[in-house]
Amino acid sequence: MADWDHVTDFLVVGSGGGLCGAVAASAAGMDVLVVEKSEFLGGSTGISGGVLWLPDNPLMQRERVPDSLEAALDYFASVVGDAGPASSDARRRSYVIEGSKMVHLLEREGIEFARCEGYSDYYADVPGFAGGCARGRAIEVVPTDTKRLRSLAGRLRPAIAAPLVVRTGEAGALTLIRVSPRSMLKAMAVGARTMAARLRGRRMTSNGGALIAQLLEVLLRRGVPIWTEAAVVDLVQEDGRVLGIVVQRDGRRLRVRARAGVLIASGGFAHNPKMRAKHGADQPNNAQWTLANPGDTGEVMQRAVELNAATDLMDEAWWVPALLKPDGALAMVIQERARPGAIIVDAGGARYFNEAGSSMEVGQHMYRRQLETGGGVPSWLIIDSRHRSRYLFAMMPPGFTPKKWLVKGAMKRAATLAGLARQCGIDADTLATTVDRFNQFAATGVDEDFGRGLSAHDRYMGDPTHGPNPCLGPLTKPPFYAVQIFPGDVGTSGGLLCDEHSQVLGLTGDPIPGLYATGNATASVMGRAYPAGGASIGASCVFAFIAGNHSAAHPNQPRT
């Protein structure tokens, strides 16, 4: 097919974790092009915590943290289980083995990683789950000066912790500054680091912003062109092979040939109400509770489906409980629910899961409860004044609750639990019974109903100064507070079905030549589980890396 406006070897659609594929392909000697439909770079990865969960990674090996391929596969088997072809044994093995190779390459290219010590696997130390690592398998990129990106610096979205220059591994401690001298010292160090950077004229970013910044720096050094405001409107296929794309840029439609392959790394469909309604019929979700980047709308995935690409897990997402602030913006609810003096109840006033557990599991519990009783969405997070005086809450400082939260009803407050129940429309007797039972668990340190505080991850999320269980404390001190909790998400996690080489599979089960995919555009290797913090970003980066290498070794078209 002639009349191409631009020709390259490997083409990456999206500028999040897919950039790892661009680095790999460029390092393998190929010409590479990155296209991004937004004016901003980084996608949902850029506004995430930026942690990568990579079992048996080189940083673990250097610090002699015990791990192995076998342990990782045991962990996959016990946590993810049988999740279908998206999480086949071949894809799991490829993820673990190639993840280490990816880190080696990125380090050679100058990217600086650090381990997140103590950032435990979510099911480590939990009976019935094997292969977990309590010390954590997560790594992150160190804070980065975006001035090194020159003109691209202004294309980055603000990092999740901005304006603070804080590593993800430090974030949990910052929420404990009222109760822990060690956390106060760490907060002072973060503040000093942030101020020092400003005084030196540095424009620092951290978390997902740092990951994207350093990947972009590598691509700039390698001379890889990056087109922004370039939306893919079609995939070009001939005789069953994907040869390239049609992209809308600067008011023109350009035909771009990709001789070795096209990598779809454009995210999922978190902000597409029609797709969410179609694929999540049992979920009262019209894309109104997502925290994914605004460009996560699924058009490129739909183009692939029109080429008879197979899909799976389309009803699944990376769930994270969220609340609505007075201005209508969403805020994730993470540490707040794991700390002493907090419970989550359904519309009837009953607890129904471990509040400190995996965010994804919390969202699944909420939808399951909604199907069973009609009272799971929304649920209520209830805390006492001891919790409010000791811990950060939706970035509100301990002990300070702005009047607008109460006036606008974003937070309820009452002198008694019965009064709080009336404000929330909860059955007062059920809530009283629930709190009495929970308070008994708090006294003994054992949650007999849901095992809160049992896992290393739960304890990491709790308050280490509180005993006997860092996650359990009674709700006894008035006034009491409540906020509605919704099953938010940071992106969908179902999509195109791929093999262990990141090749998109057709409805026949065979690869579609020339077409690769990674990240939230795919059905995740993590299945319907979230094994640890960084699992989604890790998979996005690793399978992009795999695609870049595979396309170099198996070019779709001769380079003529």
Side-chain angles (χ1 to χ4, degrees), residues 234-237 242 302-309 506 512 515:
D234 205 358
L235 297 171
V236 180
Q237 187 182 48
V242 171
Q302 289 177 308
R303 299 292 83 77
V305 170
E306 291 168 3
L307 301 183
N308 292 322
I512 298 175
L515 189 60

Side-chain angles (χ1 to χ4, degrees), residues 52-241:
L52 293 83
W53 182 71
L54 301 173
D56 199 25
N57 65 70
L59 281 77
M60 295 177 72
Q61 294 165 8
R62 290 197 287 267
E63 296 182 28
R64 298 184 179 179
V65 180
D67 203 7
S68 65
L69 171 62
E70 291 72 25
L73 293 176
D74 285 346
Y75 191 62
F76 262 106
S78 58
V79 174
V80 179
D82 182 2
S87 189
S88 65
D89 181 70
R91 275 177 58 81
R92 294 174 184 182
R93 287 177 178 274
S94 187
Y95 176 62
V96 177
I97 294 169
E98 297 299 319
S100 287
K101 294 179 182 178
M102 180 189 73
V103 174
H104 281 303
L105 171 66
L106 296 181
E107 288 185 322
R108 288 197 300 272
E109 294 289 333
I111 291 181
E112 300 175 79
F113 291 105
R115 275 195 64 244
C116 302
E117 174 64 40
Y119 201 50
S120 172
D121 289 351
Y122 286 174
Y123 300 91
D125 297 346
V126 178
F129 294 92
C133 179
R135 289 184 62 182
R137 289 159 160 151
I139 65 174
E140 62 179 325
V141 170
V142 301
T144 303
D145 186 357
T146 62
K147 291 176 72 174
R148 288 152 45 175
L149 298 178
R150 301 185 296 279
S151 62
L152 287 185
R155 296 284 186 175
L156 293 177
R157 297 182 191 273
I160 191 172
L164 292 177
V165 185
V166 55
R167 288 175 45 193
T168 299
E170 300 169 327
L174 300 187
T175 66
L176 293 166
I177 56 176
R178 190 71 176 265
V179 299
S180 168
R182 183 177 179 183
S183 294
M184 178 61 75
L185 290 174
K186 188 162 287 188
M188 293 171 63
V190 168
R193 178 195 303 154
T194 302
M195 185 58 65
R198 291 180 182 175
L199 292 175
R200 294 172 183 169
R202 296 177 179 173
R203 298 176 183 173
M204 302 296 289
T205 188
S206 56
N207 318 116
L211 172 61
I212 296 301
Q214 291 203 25
L215 287 169
L216 288 172
E217 187 178 13
V218 172
L219 295 176
L220 285 175
R221 188 177 67 248
R222 286 189 159 275
V224 173
I226 299 169
W227 294 358
T228 56
E229 299 177 89
V232 174
V233 296
D234 205 358
L235 297 171
V236 180
Q237 187 182 48
E238 186 177 90
D239 297 329
R241 291 178 175 272

Side-chain angles (χ1 to χ4, degrees), residues 399-425:
F400 174 69
T401 303
K403 186 177 180 180
K404 63 182 178 181
W405 278 74
L406 302 170
V407 170
K408 294 193 174 184
M411 176 176 273
K412 312 290 187 184
R413 182 175 65 187
T416 64
L417 284 171
L420 191 70
R422 284 193 295 273
Q423 290 188 42
C424 299

Side-chain angles (χ1 to χ4, degrees), residues 425-444:
I426 297 172
D427 181 79
D429 290 338
T430 302
L431 181 61
T433 299
T434 297
V435 172
D436 285 345
R437 182 170 177 80
F438 180 80
N439 289 348
Q440 294 172 25
F441 298 158
T444 64

